[in-house]
Amino acid sequence: MHTLGINAAYHDCSACLVRDGEVIAAAEEERFTRIKHGKRPVPFSTWQLPFHAIDYCLREAGIRLADVEHVAYSYDPGILLGPHRGKPVITLPLEPSAHPDKEWMSPWDPLFLSSIVNAPRQLAGGAPHHLRKRFEGVRHDGPFRWHFIEHHLAHEASAFLAAPFDECAVLTMDGRGEQATTSYGIYRDRRYKRLGQVNLPHSLGLLYESLTTHLGFLHSSDEYKVMALASYGKPLFAAQFRDILRYRGDGQYEVRPADWTALFGPQRERGSEFTDHHMNVAASLQRVLEETVLEMVRWLHAATGAENLALAGGVALNCVMNARIRDRGPFRRVWVQPAAGDAGTALGAALWVDACQRGSDGRRWVMEHAFLGPAHGEEEIEAFLRQAKLRYRRAQDLSEEVAGLLAEDKVIGWFQGRMEFGPRALGARSILASPLDPGMQQRLNQIKDREDFRPVAPVVLEEEAAAWFVNGGVSPFMVFVYDVRPDREARIPAVRHVDGTARIQTINRSQNPVYHDLLRAFHRRTGVPVLINTSFNTRGEPVVCNPRDAVESFCSTPLDVLAIGPFIVEKP
Ligand SMILES: [Fe+2]
């Protein structure tokens, strides 16, 4: 049985294919179309389905859309349309007057919802011409069966059906779904029970997005920059934020409307300097977010009695907040699904529908790594290098040779195996560098054309994590920060952020053998089992996907070396 998951309602559109409980493939549309986040989250773009990501998932599974039994779409328009639930064909004009019992939150809601209820027709007939082959032979009503899955249920399922737990509490937080912005529950005895949700307009994600705009960044995209900025500031305005964001007990919170200009002065112009004031504002929001979420997880722990917590939703990409939950929260283990943003809802929706169809058959898959995207074979890579007239050589021992280049402070574009699902590069489409030189962070920010304040993150051998980072445990997805051990910080200055932390990735051999071998080879040469690992892209660009993207990025930036498959390309 094949189940195709689709996320398309807002942004980070993505697809996922599940076969009898096993995830075969998952990828974001942006990697194929080269448009960051796939599209902007506006009603005009809702109709766009992630056809390239779907095409890839079908290709990976060796099937066509006609072979898919179930399609799971991670938004349920029925929640807002009420009487039309289960009848997913509505045509324009979809006027509010046609639904006298409904009050639209936005005048664009009819356009937005119309695109969603017609998504089955769009899937059946809307594929771009060059992809048609795999999409022929279907109608909007089949052979697949279509399922609209509530957005937060898709986030929740992406956590509890992927986490390495048989039982866990679940918390999801994002900007918004149909109505919910936060939801929580318990996964136990192969059943999920939602305990509650917070509804619009109260939203941790929208609050963070709104301040992201005020600080001169792109909302629904650059929130992680606000988090990075926060670590330079002091929470001098925490009282103001506590007035805006209030925990109400029983997992509920309230967000009051705020006038940022009245509180903190005019919006920062994009491209202008950052001042201490901006950093203090960011630090204050971050502090109060952490306080609020800590209250929520303490309540959730008491309400469920669970030992484990699984997180998803875009807010769960806040790795500083996640570390607070880990260190100060009551749960023994905390797991964050790495594609926590909306891309992960394709995974969650597909896993949920698959699990419901198979009934008592239970779970068959745990997300042990995120290498769920496309790989490119040696022949294809070599053909492209030849066509591009690049001088390349086949490495005798790739890990040893690249470790040697890293030890010479060369910066490496690393393109190996299947691409990562989720926003973090984890050793398949990464830029790697030595952490020994304190100037390397600045150099990488220049190479990637990023803001100076942005930290770079380390990958560390799993077995060495505790020796280099305080309480360093297994953390394969770069979703938590850890303190660098004081006795080690002089050795790895480039990955130590201003607040003494690092957003680490741990790696073991079963997750990615060649990457693990590289770390070991670098460890043997330098005594340091750590490398800088940042995503293989430049500012505003999606992470590279195929050999062409990698070569284009390599040639247009001051990267020194490209290690692509078994081949090494060095700049003169
Ligand atoms: Fe979401």
Side-chain angles (χ1 to χ4, degrees):
M1 182 181 72
H2 291 102
T3 304
L4 174 68
I6 295 176
N7 169 54
Y10 297 113
H11 59 154
D12 291 322
C13 29
S14 62
C16 169
L17 193 83
V18 174
R19 178 191 286 150
D20 299 327
E22 291 271 344
V23 175
I24 303 294
E28 289 103 325
E29 181 76 351
E30 63 163 23
R31 307 295 167 89
F32 305 95
T33 61
R34 312 307 299 156
I35 297 168
K36 186 91 169 160
H37 301 299
K39 57 188 182 183
R40 290 299 290 157
V42 293
F44 303 101
S45 71
T46 307
W47 65 273
Q48 289 179 32
L49 294 182
F51 278 111
H52 297 81
I54 296 169
D55 180 67
Y56 156 67
C57 288
L58 297 172
R59 190 168 73 233
E60 190 72 49
I63 61 171
R64 300 182 325 139
L65 184 58
D67 302 318
V68 167
E69 282 91 344
H70 298 279
V71 178
Y73 184 101
S74 61
Y75 191 98
D76 183 359
I79 291 170
L80 297 175
L81 292 170
H84 286 261
R85 199 181 167 92
K87 293 181 189 162
V89 179
I90 294 173
T91 49
L92 287 171
L94 184 62
E95 296 293 341
S97 58
H99 304 275
D101 56 329
K102 290 287 156 202
E103 273 187 43
W104 303 111
M105 293 188 68
S106 147
W108 298 111
D109 277 354
L111 176 67
F112 172 73
L113 290 166
S114 177
S115 298
I116 294 176
V117 295
N118 284 300
R121 286 168 182 252
Q122 179 71 359
L123 180 65
H129 195 72
H130 66 286
L131 301 178
R132 281 281 161 81
K133 200 177 78 194
R134 244 176 278 275
F135 289 81
E136 279 167 356
V138 295
R139 291 159 38 92
H140 72 271
D141 52 356
F144 55 75
R145 214 178 117 202
W146 188 274
H147 307 258
F148 285 118
I149 303 301
E150 192 228 353
H151 187 75
H152 276 258
L153 176 60
H155 273 308
E156 289 164 330
S158 82
F160 67 78
L161 289 178
F165 307 136
D166 292 329
E167 177 180 310
C168 58
V170 179
L171 173 62
T172 76
M173 300 163 281
D174 72 352
R176 62 170 296 181
E178 300 83 356
Q179 288 172 319
T181 64
T182 292
S183 65
Y184 38 86
I186 174 76
Y187 177 65
R188 180 174 278 154
D189 299 330
R190 293 181 182 172
R191 287 179 169 275
Y192 183 65
K193 184 178 179 203
R194 182 175 294 174
L195 297 175
Q197 65 186 53
V198 178
N199 287 339
L200 286 168
H202 309 290
S203 167
L204 296 174
L206 292 183
L207 174 68
Y208 217 95
E209 282 185 19
S210 158
L211 196 82
T212 297
T213 301
H214 191 75
L215 290 174
F217 299 109
L218 184 63
H219 76 79
S220 311
S221 173
D222 291 349
E223 283 68 24
Y224 62 105
K225 296 185 186 176
V226 175
M227 183 192 75
L229 204 60
S231 53
Y232 291 87
K234 296 192 180 73
L236 302 181
F237 305 106
Q240 284 88 328
F241 280 101
R242 286 186 195 113
D243 211 36
I244 294 163
L245 172 55
R246 292 180 177 188
Y247 181 65
R248 311 293 298 175
D250 296 343
Q252 297 288 307
Y253 62 81
E254 182 182 280
V255 179
R256 295 169 149 200
D259 181 343
W260 300 132
T261 305
L263 279 169
F264 305 127
Q267 182 170 330
R268 181 188 147 261
E269 299 235 351
R270 218 175 275 189
S272 68
E273 285 292 302
F274 295 102
T275 63
D276 288 351
H277 178 69
H278 298 126
M279 295 167 187
N280 294 338
V281 171
S284 306
L285 170 65
Q286 179 70 28
R287 168 67 65 87
V288 177
L289 170 75
E290 291 165 13
E291 289 172 0
T292 307
V293 175
L294 267 174
E295 293 279 5
M296 291 171 68
V297 299
R298 284 180 187 132
W299 174 83
L300 185 59
H301 181 259
T304 60
E307 286 195 333
N308 306 313
L309 174 66
L311 296 172
V315 179
L317 290 171
N318 191 311
C319 54
V320 179
M321 176 196 81
N322 295 344
R324 296 288 177 275
I325 296 173
R326 177 198 64 203
D327 295 341
R328 296 186 200 164
F331 287 95
R332 238 182 74 197
R333 291 194 293 172
V334 182
W335 188 85
V336 182
Q337 194 266 106
D342 276 3
T345 63
L347 172 77
L351 284 171
W352 175 255
V353 167
D354 170 86
C356 292
Q357 296 299 320
R358 288 186 304 106
S360 59
D361 213 11
R363 288 176 56 180
R364 293 185 179 166
W365 182 81
V366 171
M367 194 170 192
E368 274 156 2
H369 61 75
F371 306 113
L372 299 170
H376 295 268
E378 268 183 52
E379 277 177 27
E380 184 189 348
I381 292 171
E382 188 164 22
F384 186 75
L385 294 176
R386 277 213 195 102
Q387 191 209 337
K389 294 188 176 175
L390 286 170
R391 291 183 61 174
Y392 64 92
R393 62 188 163 83
R394 182 183 285 267
Q396 301 293 324
D397 184 332
L398 185 76
S399 302
E400 282 297 336
E401 288 179 46
V402 173
L405 292 162
L406 286 163
E408 293 168 18
D409 275 343
K410 295 273 186 355
V411 179
I412 315 280
W414 177 257
F415 182 104
Q416 302 291 334
R418 292 186 70 178
M419 184 177 70
E420 303 87 346
F421 181 50
R424 301 279 93 85
L426 299 167
R429 305 288 183 275
S430 290
I431 291 176
L432 303 176
S434 164
L436 276 56
D437 171 8
M440 192 56 92
Q441 182 219 353
Q442 289 296 322
R443 199 172 139 203
L444 282 167
N445 280 341
Q446 277 164 12
I447 286 175
K448 298 187 68 174
D449 187 25
R450 306 196 319 175
E451 297 88 346
D452 290 342
F453 66 85
R454 305 266 305 274
V456 288
V459 53
V460 57
L461 287 173
E462 187 179 291
E463 60 272 26
E464 293 284 338
W468 289 77
F469 302 94
V470 178
N471 296 324
V474 176
S475 185
F477 299 130
M478 285 192 161
V479 285
F480 295 95
V481 294
Y482 288 80
D483 289 328
V484 180
R485 286 180 59 120
D487 55 327
R488 300 285 196 175
E489 60 185 36
R491 285 292 278 153
I492 50 172
V495 295
R496 184 187 174 279
H497 193 34
V498 62
D499 58 0
T501 65
R503 188 188 68 201
I504 72 171
Q505 175 196 6
T506 60
I507 187 78
N508 65 41
R509 198 154 199 290
S510 71
Q511 288 157 343
N512 188 333
V514 65
Y515 191 41
H516 185 260
D517 288 351
L518 173 67
L519 264 292
R520 289 193 49 166
F522 188 78
H523 189 199
R524 276 196 300 276
R525 278 168 192 270
T526 63
V528 175
V530 178
L531 285 173
I532 297 174
N533 166 30
T534 178
S535 54
F536 195 167
N537 63 338
T538 50
R539 184 184 337 202
E541 290 282 318
V543 178
V544 301
C545 178
N546 63 27
R548 174 185 293 275
D549 306 330
V551 165
E552 284 179 356
S553 188
F554 172 66
C555 290
S556 62
T557 58
L559 281 173
D560 300 309
V561 177
L562 176 63
I564 181 164
F567 306 107
I568 291 181
V569 187
E570 280 188 80
K571 281 188 186 151

